[in-house]
Amino acid sequence: MNIKQSDRITALYARLSRDDDKDGVSGSIQNQKAILEKYAKDNKLPNPRFFFDDGFSGVTFARPAFMEIMELAEQGLVANLVVKDHSRLGRNRLVVGQLLEEDFIRLDVRYIAIMDNIDTAKGISDIVPMQDLFNEWHAKNTSDKVRKVMQSKGMSGKPLTTNPPFGYMKSPENKDVWIIDESAAKVVRKIFDLCVSGLGPTQIAKRLKADEIMTPTEYWNSIGRKCSKPPEKPFNWCADTVSNILDKQEYCGDTVNFRTTSKSFKLKKRFERPQEEWQVFENTHPAIIDRETFALVQELRQHRRRPTKSGIVSMFSGLLYCADCGEKLYYSVTNNYSREQAYFFCSAYRKNSDVCSAHYIREKVIENLVLDSLQRVLWYVQSYEKLFAQRQMEDFGEKRKKELSQKRRELEKSKRRISEIDGIIQKLYEDNATGKISDERFATMAMSLEDEQSKLRASIPQMESELETAVSQTEGLQKFIDKAKKVTQLTELTPEIVHEFIQKIVVGKPEYKNGKRYQSVEIHYNGVGIIREPSPEEMEEYFQEHIQKKAARTAKTA
């Protein structure tokens, strides 16, 4: 393709990064434009055309205006590229070097940096690579300063995100304070409610789309908040957006900083940090979702109750386990038979029948067992709270308490010994330095002590975990009692009730006696495990006692 010289343009390029704007380094875009246009006019450069990128770092070259210039250059339409100073082209020495030494030569583009007296038509000075290095150092130094400021801000508990999550907005009085945006918060609450009711992210997205609820991007655009363009299809919710909302601890009222990081100041892509590196500051803003609901949703999502091919999800999916192999039980229901016939069976058996047996059990049987057990347990807790707590703690056992007391003493002893070893090694080092013990003797003793110290340190997390479990068991018991007292009358099961109270259900393999089928089912309750329920005889005795007390109270008030 033949391009006439008269058709080729002089690209006048200006760039302003956010950091430049903050520090007043390069002035405004308008100032750059004035300098560039004057230079083009004074030097009679043909067909000047102005391009600019406002708010783009020099480290990245994926800038809209710069990319447009390079596309025109590839078509042979750019004769000259003029910038105010060399740093406006970019601050990555490797990319800038390639542009100057390869791309601009290949594309026959004359490059001019006015303030730095660089003109490729006159040749490139040996100083230019040094300038590129200094420009990159400046970008790195700026990045380090920004990182330190963000680190300090993040550790103070102020949110690091530029924009609050969907459901919140910045306070007009203080941009570091979030307040609830009630219109959006209603949608967030609906998403959590749908998840608790048994729907997964994909199903929730379909429901929101069917109800014609605006996506976060659509909503923000509707209220004038700057963000990306809304999707072409309205109300086009996707599972990832729903999952992202369900994952956010911020909805409990917490600020979560340092979720992501970048590997280099040259790379803008963010990477997820391990959760233990996050900094969480509790109760920094009003909560949209209470902590119990949020914890319940995380538990549900961990079990990932996937719908069957027919689209049906069981409220027990993810909760049933095989008593023999420990694997989960799969849920099976098809359109060929009624829901009454839906059943669970061992997942290990499905993969390999030699590993385990089917442990087949119908969903309806599980539902009846859980409802019956839960009704008895709730009545027991509400009517005989102290007796219930006493019995559960008795099951914890005196022996277990003694073991934990011993563990606590071992933990303290191990920590003291670790500290003592540090002192002994220091003393050995001093004795070795003064010649009291030989190098060989020092090496042998120090190695033995360090090995002992290493083993002690490795044992501490396990001991601490066991002690924490014991404490959480006591706390879990009280939480269970508090939740049980809130349920007034239970006539049927719902996904919310099931996942609020049930931790897991362990199903044994069926056995046959005298032509009858028997199957053991253990129900483990959240926070308390297997509950020691009263025997039928005890239950009848408690019930009669309860009736008598109620009658006595009624007679007193009459």
Side-chain angles (χ1 to χ4, degrees), residues 299-514:
E299 177 72 16
L300 291 173
R301 300 200 64 224
Q302 189 178 354
H303 290 305
R304 293 188 304 182
R305 295 170 295 152
R306 292 177 180 150
T308 60
K309 290 179 180 178
S310 58
I312 299 172
V313 178
S314 171
M315 70 178 87
F316 301 107
S317 291
L319 295 179
L320 272 67
Y321 290 83
C322 175
D324 294 312
C325 70
E327 293 292 321
K328 287 185 178 181
L329 268 62
Y330 282 163
Y331 180 58
S332 177
V333 61
T334 71
N335 292 324
N336 296 329
Y337 53 82
S338 68
R339 185 71 182 266
E340 294 286 323
Q341 294 173 288
Y343 63 93
F344 288 89
F345 63 100
C346 178
S347 58
Y349 172 77
R350 180 178 182 177
K351 294 168 189 171
N352 184 354
S353 59
D354 295 332
V355 173
C356 197
S357 61
H359 289 69
Y360 166 95
I361 189 166
R362 285 197 297 122
E363 179 187 28
K364 197 65 183 175
V365 172
I366 290 291
E367 186 176 348
N368 291 336
L369 286 171
V370 171
L371 179 59
D372 184 53
S373 174
L374 198 48
Q375 284 173 332
R376 289 198 310 272
V377 166
L378 292 178
W379 183 87
Y380 181 28
V381 173
Q382 291 167 0
S383 304
Y384 293 93
E385 179 184 332
K386 289 183 181 178
L387 179 62
F388 168 77
Q390 181 185 335
R391 282 200 166 193
Q392 287 302 119
M393 291 310 293
E394 283 173 0
D395 283 351
F396 188 55
E398 288 300 321
K399 184 181 177 182
R400 180 63 175 151
K401 288 178 186 175
K402 287 177 183 177
E403 287 175 359
L404 288 169
S405 180
Q406 178 65 24
K407 276 284 186 221
R408 197 172 282 109
R409 287 194 295 270
E410 285 178 19
L411 178 62
E412 293 304 318
K413 185 179 176 182
S414 297
K415 287 181 176 179
R416 282 198 304 272
R417 180 59 180 162
I418 287 170
S419 183
E420 285 172 7
I421 290 172
D422 283 333
I424 293 169
I425 292 175
Q426 179 62 33
K427 182 71 170 58
L428 285 173
Y429 178 79
E430 291 170 0
D431 288 348
N432 175 249
T434 56
K436 288 183 180 179
I437 61 172
S438 66
D439 291 346
E440 293 80 7
R441 181 69 173 156
F442 169 75
T444 303
M445 293 177 71
M447 190 178 296
S448 175
L449 287 164
E450 285 175 352
D451 184 54
E452 180 189 353
Q453 193 179 53
S454 176
K455 287 177 181 176
L456 286 170
R457 281 189 173 133
S459 68
I460 282 176
Q462 177 64 27
M463 287 190 281
E464 288 178 334
S465 175
E466 288 183 20
L467 288 170
E468 284 174 13
T469 301
V471 172
S472 65
Q473 186 159 357
T474 306
E475 292 174 350
L477 176 60
Q478 188 55 54
K479 283 182 181 178
F480 183 86
I481 291 171
D482 292 341
K483 284 192 293 186
K485 287 160 72 175
K486 290 178 184 175
V487 182
T488 53
Q489 187 177 7
L490 183 65
T491 56
E492 64 175 347
L493 294 178
T494 64
E496 294 91 331
I497 286 289
V498 168
H499 288 277
E500 189 171 12
F501 286 98
I502 307 299
Q503 179 192 3
K504 64 179 179 178
I505 301 166
V506 180
V507 179
K509 64 181 178 182
E511 295 179 359
Y512 294 88
K513 293 178 184 177
N514 301 322

Side-chain angles (χ1 to χ4, degrees), residues 127-187:
I127 298 174
V128 172
M130 291 300 296
Q131 283 181 275
D132 293 336
L133 183 60
F134 280 117
N135 285 334
E136 185 171 301
W137 279 348
H138 173 79
K140 185 177 185 302
N141 187 43
T142 302
S143 175
D144 289 343
K145 286 179 181 176
V146 171
R147 190 181 289 266
K148 286 175 183 175
V149 170
M150 297 300 281
Q151 186 81 16
S152 176
K153 181 181 179 183
M155 293 304 292
S156 72
K158 293 179 180 177
L160 293 180
T161 53
T162 306
N163 294 310
F166 182 63
Y168 289 103
M169 58 185 174
K170 292 179 181 179
S171 167
E173 288 78 29
N174 185 345
K175 66 178 182 179
D176 289 325
V177 174
W178 294 352
I179 57 176
I180 293 176
D181 179 354
E182 196 52 48
S183 297
K186 285 179 182 176
V187 180

Side-chain angles (χ1 to χ4, degrees), residues 47-61:
N47 304 324
R49 181 173 161 190
F50 183 62
F51 300 81
F52 72 95
D53 285 310
D54 195 357
F56 286 86
S57 167
V59 174
T60 177
F61 286 79

